Amino acid sequence: MIRIRAPLANPARKTLSTDYLRHGRTTAIDDHDDLQVLKRIRRFLLPRDFQIEATLLKEMVDGYDIGDPIADNLVANDVRFAKPLQQTIASGHIPIELRDNADFEQLVSQFSAHPSWYDPKLAEIGAIAYRRYPLMLIWLLRNVALMAGYSIPALSLPLVQTGALTHEALPRLMRTYAYILAVSEYPAINNADSVLTIGSEGWRQSIRVRQIHTMVRQGLLKGQFKAQKLAMIGDDYADNPAKDRGRIDTHQHPDGSWNSDYWGIPINQTDMVATHLQFSLLIMRGLRLLGARISEEEAQGILHLWNMASYWMGVDLQRLPKDETACWSWLYSYLSIQQLDFEMGKPLARALHDLPSQIMGEDNRRGQFVELVNASVTRTLVGDDIGDGLDLPKSKLRFGVLSTVPILFGLDTARQYSDTAADKLEAFRARRQDNMNWWLKQHDDYYRVDGSL
């Protein structure tokens, strides 16, 4: 494991019990003080008197050992709930074999109506802002949300062991992109009454992804992904197998099953909250840094939108931070105690980085340029230390991505003060979005039918 250490003289620290160190994946809170992303969060986004709270650390560590109890019970009993759940809510009739199944009935209740706390108008405001600039959205999904997560083995290990992003990088990226589009599919797009309506594409995909996550969780715990056992240590294993044998034994038991004592349950409650913040908070922050004018109400709307999606995905609402400042406090605390392992993340980073050349051709200069731009987004917004750790290329012009700032700021200013400009920008957004959905239109029935998305 790679640990990045720093002096202990950080005013954001206080003496804490070490009870939170009961999993191998967890480090001391001062291990990563010199990580650039933590320095930026601490300097620009947290109150000056911020301190990591022992109660939050306990909640996080407890969450390592909790998956999705309702869905886990169903899948453990060989119930594939996605299709019968959708059919039950559409027809009002529970299949005979699932009657008197308390777990299935709870899912029916959860997905049949929005909870009382959900504000569709606020979520719509967030959805419109979230999808306003589709190129920036996929930039930030790919180069900030995903790439940053690859340095944290607790998040990347399930992907590595299942081969999800090393062997199917493009399909998995586009499916993830399709999900965040579906979550933010605001009414102007699909003529619905509100965003994330019951029966919408975001609703349907949340059900399907929740089932997939549950099946992966159960499979990892049972050691059903043994074929991927060696993938986690990179391409150099064949040259020096003894070097990384200890890492294999740490990551999983000899029979290939998941090491829960070290990692906690795979795709657990705490890591799902982290993923929630990757898709909401980090992308929102990235949009602002690239020049988008995200108002306070729009920021609240983006977080509210993803609170609803995360609720459907099985996250305990009590674990979700309540506002933007609380989100940054949560993320800072989480990143401070996560074990880092760039070697494990490199195969994932390489597969994602190489996509443009794979699509356009190895010798295609445009593909090579796009790769440099993508790496520059990661280095500029996340940090050179993580970029170096993941072996991303370093362009002399990497800060050129910030040239978008005056452009986006100017466009957003024009949109706010001119209805004509707003209409033209929305038309441009729709065309750009349609162009970027090229892979989905070839492989996904929903986008193939509704090409306007």
Side-chain angles (χ1 to χ4, degrees), residues 118-132 183-189 192-196 297-298 300-302 304-305:
Y118 180 64
D119 182 346
K121 187 62 180 177
L122 180 60
E124 179 184 340
I125 291 170
I128 292 172
Y130 192 81
R131 283 182 66 133
R132 188 174 293 140
V183 168
S184 58
E185 188 176 46
Y186 51 90
I189 292 179
D193 295 330
S194 66
V195 70
L196 285 181
E297 185 179 34
E298 288 172 334
Q300 293 173 20
I302 290 171
H304 191 72
L305 177 76

Side-chain angles (χ1 to χ4, degrees), residues 122-334:
L122 180 60
E124 179 184 340
I125 291 170
I128 292 172
Y130 192 81
R131 283 182 66 133
R132 188 174 293 140
Y133 295 104
L135 176 60
M136 303 305 166
L137 186 59
I138 198 166
W139 261 16
L140 296 168
L141 168 67
R142 171 199 197 117
N143 304 312
V144 176
L146 295 180
M147 277 295 188
Y150 291 164
S151 62
I152 302 174
L155 297 180
S156 60
L157 185 57
L159 300 173
V160 174
Q161 286 200 255
T162 60
L165 283 180
T166 50
H167 303 304
E168 297 181 325
L170 179 60
R172 297 296 298 184
L173 171 65
M174 294 309 295
R175 295 296 184 198
T176 304
Y177 185 51
Y179 181 62
I180 69 173
L181 292 182
V183 168
S184 58
E185 188 176 46
Y186 51 90
I189 292 179
N190 62 2
N191 297 317
D193 295 330
S194 66
V195 70
L196 285 181
T197 54
I198 305 303
S200 68
E201 183 64 8
W203 177 88
R204 289 192 294 268
Q205 287 201 33
S206 295
I207 294 173
R208 290 198 297 267
V209 174
R210 185 169 180 177
Q211 177 173 277
I212 291 170
H213 282 180
T214 306
M215 294 174 66
V216 169
R217 185 186 301 112
Q218 297 291 319
L220 288 169
L221 288 171
K222 296 175 182 177
Q224 294 176 354
F225 297 101
K226 295 179 184 179
Q228 299 299 327
K229 186 171 183 177
L230 302 181
M232 71 187 73
I233 60 174
D235 295 336
D236 63 342
Y237 177 80
D239 298 328
N240 191 0
K243 179 181 69 172
D244 289 308
R245 174 56 58 186
R247 294 177 65 221
I248 295 177
D249 294 340
T250 297
H251 298 328
Q252 57 189 23
H253 296 300
D255 64 356
S257 61
W258 185 267
N259 187 343
S260 297
D261 290 338
Y262 192 92
W263 296 109
I265 300 296
I267 316 179
N268 58 66
Q269 284 290 317
T270 298
D271 291 337
M272 284 195 286
V273 174
T275 301
H276 158 82
L277 295 179
Q278 282 179 288
F279 290 166
S280 58
L281 185 74
L282 290 186
I283 287 181
M284 178 174 69
R285 176 63 179 171
L287 287 170
R288 282 172 163 167
L289 288 173
L290 292 174
R293 296 181 65 167
I294 306 293
S295 69
E296 288 301 316
E297 185 179 34
E298 288 172 334
Q300 293 173 20
I302 290 171
L303 294 175
H304 191 72
L305 177 76
W306 279 100
N307 282 350
M308 186 67 236
S310 295
Y311 169 72
W312 277 342
M313 292 283 284
V315 177
D316 180 357
L317 284 176
Q318 299 304 312
R319 296 181 179 275
L320 293 177
K322 304 306 180 187
D323 54 43
E324 189 174 348
T325 298
C327 285
W328 286 116
S329 299
W330 193 101
L331 187 63
Y332 184 92
S333 302
Y334 176 85

Side-chain angles (χ1 to χ4, degrees), residues 308-383:
M308 186 67 236
S310 295
Y311 169 72
W312 277 342
M313 292 283 284
V315 177
D316 180 357
L317 284 176
Q318 299 304 312
R319 296 181 179 275
L320 293 177
K322 304 306 180 187
D323 54 43
E324 189 174 348
T325 298
C327 285
W328 286 116
S329 299
W330 193 101
L331 187 63
Y332 184 92
S333 302
Y334 176 85
L335 294 176
S336 293
I337 63 169
Q338 298 307 307
Q339 192 71 262
L340 300 182
D341 189 343
F342 295 120
E343 291 303 315
M344 189 185 299
K346 281 181 183 178
L348 297 172
R350 187 181 309 122
L352 193 57
H353 172 266
D354 291 348
L355 277 181
S357 289
Q358 291 178 10
I359 295 170
M360 302 178 195
E362 294 293 335
D363 298 325
N364 187 288
R365 291 186 178 181
R366 182 183 176 191
Q368 295 169 1
F369 174 75
V370 171
E371 289 176 356
L372 283 177
V373 171
N374 287 335
S376 297
V377 173
T378 302
R379 286 182 172 276
T380 302
L381 300 187
V382 179

